[in-house]
């Protein structure tokens, strides 16, 4: 079922936002992410976004109108939306090996700091941009959230290449910075 909404996620990933410092907040997709921990790792950076069920449903409704889905098709589409939403992790790094998702993982903690979910993505090679002769590699992975809807949670992103390094974010679901 998760594959049905994959095209929507890919569209969202293409509009990435890389936060740059602790305390930096950015809103997108109806929620706010706050960078709470950063590591200085050879020009490697991450960003975390959260898309709630409500946001995904709204986007699916817009998509359904354009594609003229029948009521039965809409029912199938809506049933594929994860009830707790989706976490999207974007990675930017200087080498193709650095952005291969087999080296990355994420874990979710609740407000008390208890680990409530771990996620290890499958192997995936990134894409690149060349700017002024320099190559920049990008990749991302996403997963269904296990935290009940509406609760604030933390996302910690690690790279297995440097296991002592991590980036952390506090996610405020359904809250946008004004």
């Amino acid at each position: 079922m998760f594959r049905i909404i994959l095209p929507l996620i890919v569209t969202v990933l293409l509009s990435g936002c890389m936060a740059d410092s602790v305390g930096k907040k950015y809103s997108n997709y109806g929620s706010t992410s706050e960078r709470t921990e950063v590591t200085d790792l050879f020009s490697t950076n991450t960003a975390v976004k959260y898309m709630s069920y409500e946001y995904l449903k709204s986007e699916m409704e817009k998509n359904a109108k354009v594609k003229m889905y029948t009521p039965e098709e809409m029912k199938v589409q809506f049933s594929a939306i994860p009830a707790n939403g989706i976490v999207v992790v974007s990675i930017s790094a200087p080498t193709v090996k650095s952005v291969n998702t087999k080296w990355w993982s994420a874990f979710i903690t609740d407000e008390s700091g208890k680990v409530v979910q771990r996620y290890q993505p499958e192997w995936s090679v990134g894409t690149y941009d060349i700017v002024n002769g320099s190559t920049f590699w990008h990749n991302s992975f996403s997963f269904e959230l296990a935290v009940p809807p509406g609760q604030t949670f933390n996302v910690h992103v690690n790279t297995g290449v440097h296991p002592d390094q991590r980036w952390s974010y506090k996610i405020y679901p359904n809250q946008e910075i004004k």
Side-chain angles (χ1 to χ4, degrees):
M1 286 203 288
F2 191 57
R3 289 185 193 130
I4 292 174
I5 62 171
L6 196 53
L8 173 64
I9 294 170
V10 170
T11 302
V12 168
L13 293 176
L14 293 175
S15 57
C17 171
M18 294 291 190
D20 55 355
S21 61
V22 171
K24 174 81 174 182
K25 290 184 180 181
Y26 55 96
S27 292
N28 46 33
Y29 318 114
S31 297
T32 296
S33 298
E34 177 183 5
R35 173 84 63 117
T36 58
E37 185 176 3
V38 66
T39 189
D40 185 21
L41 187 60
F42 311 114
S43 301
T44 301
N45 205 352
T46 65
V48 172
K49 304 167 190 120
Y50 170 70
M51 293 180 279
S52 67
Y53 173 85
E54 294 80 13
Y55 174 81
L56 292 168
K57 183 178 178 192
S58 169
E59 291 299 303
M60 190 67 71
E61 286 170 344
K62 292 176 196 173
N63 195 20
K65 286 180 183 177
V66 171
K67 293 186 177 186
M68 299 173 62
Y69 286 148
T70 66
E72 294 79 27
E73 290 170 322
M74 285 188 64
K75 196 174 195 177
V76 169
Q77 295 291 320
F78 288 144
S79 70
I81 301 172
N84 298 340
I86 297 172
V87 174
V88 180
V89 178
S90 301
I91 306 160
S92 177
T95 68
V96 66
K97 181 180 178 184
S98 302
V99 298
N100 186 329
T101 54
K102 78 176 184 176
W103 299 111
W104 292 84
S105 64
F107 64 97
I108 308 295
T109 59
D110 62 16
E111 286 283 4
S112 69
K114 178 183 172 194
V115 176
V116 295
Q117 182 178 7
R118 294 182 186 279
Y119 182 77
Q120 175 67 53
E122 293 183 20
W123 180 88
S124 169
V125 175
T127 60
Y128 66 92
D129 294 318
I130 298 175
V131 179
N132 295 329
S134 297
T135 303
F136 299 92
W137 290 89
H138 313 283
N139 207 347
S140 59
F141 60 91
S142 60
F143 56 95
E144 295 181 27
L145 183 64
V147 175
Q151 291 186 10
T152 300
F153 60 94
N154 301 292
V155 180
H156 308 277
V157 181
N158 295 87
T159 174
V161 176
H162 298 279
D164 59 332
Q165 304 291 317
R166 76 175 182 197
W167 296 261
S168 298
Y169 301 83
K170 185 171 204 152
I171 308 298
Y172 303 91
N174 304 317
Q175 297 177 30
E176 289 196 50
I177 299 171
K178 299 294 180 201

